[in-house]
Amino acid sequence: MGNLYSVAFSSVNATGVAKELFEIIGSTLSSFRVWGLTIGQIAAALSSSAIETLTVGLWRGSTVGSSGTAVTPIKLNARSSATASFTALINSSALGATAASAQLVLAKVWNTQNDFVWQARADGDIDERPVCILGQRLHVRLGAPAGTIGLGGTLLIEEIGRLPGSTVK
């Protein structure tokens, strides 16, 4: 197993438009895989928008970047002192995942009255964890809420090194 990192935010507002919650930009040194994603609602206006069902999508391979805020991935295992080789952005209003090169890898729905928890299955011969090869981007997009909602979330990423035959995208 490679180094496991957490990319998290604790207070982001989503207001009436689709939003890129996370963008992970792969390095030219290491591929990465997604272990899981959690999103929770912190606050909402007292209206019908307090209860919504929104789409959550993982997009891979976009050649268009978004314009989020850079954050430092936090290493969860202490096996080495290495820092993450990938770049992490949060809270972008620019939708980088809409580029023609982007592939929708996962699409789920989220009832905002509960936490959204997705953990890829990996047991035996089955491994559903999405992998991004050298230089690829991964975007996590939230559908447009009717009103303003405050969010928190965490994305778990594992660096897995160079995969045989992988080239920089």
Side-chain angles (χ1 to χ4, degrees), residues 91-115:
N91 192 26
S92 174
S93 57
L95 300 178
T98 58
S101 58
Q103 300 170 322
L104 181 61
V105 176
L106 178 78
K108 297 280 188 179
V109 294
W110 171 41
N111 179 321
T112 60
Q113 291 298 292
N114 301 304
D115 286 343

Side-chain angles (χ1 to χ4, degrees), residues 20-21 23 65-71 88-94:
E20 304 263 316
L21 295 179
E23 177 183 7
S66 58
S67 59
T69 302
V71 295
L89 304 172
I90 60 166
N91 192 26
S92 174
S93 57

Side-chain angles (χ1 to χ4, degrees), residues 95-160:
L95 300 178
T98 58
S101 58
Q103 300 170 322
L104 181 61
V105 176
L106 178 78
K108 297 280 188 179
V109 294
W110 171 41
N111 179 321
T112 60
Q113 291 298 292
N114 301 304
D115 286 343
F116 176 86
V117 178
W118 172 76
Q119 185 172 7
R121 186 172 68 152
D123 55 12
D125 293 335
I126 298 173
D127 190 344
E128 297 175 347
R129 297 173 294 183
V131 172
C132 289
I133 60 173
L134 304 176
Q136 273 190 323
R137 284 182 162 88
L138 177 86
H139 296 265
V140 177
R141 180 186 297 166
L142 180 68
T148 300
I149 58 175
L151 304 171
T154 302
L155 183 66
L156 296 178
I157 300 287
E158 177 192 9
E159 285 188 319
I160 56 176

Side-chain angles (χ1 to χ4, degrees), residues 6-11 21-22 37-40 42 90 151-155:
S6 167
V7 178
F9 62 89
S10 61
S11 183
L21 295 179
F22 296 97
L37 170 67
T38 59
I39 305 168
I42 298 169
I90 60 166
L151 304 171
T154 302
L155 183 66

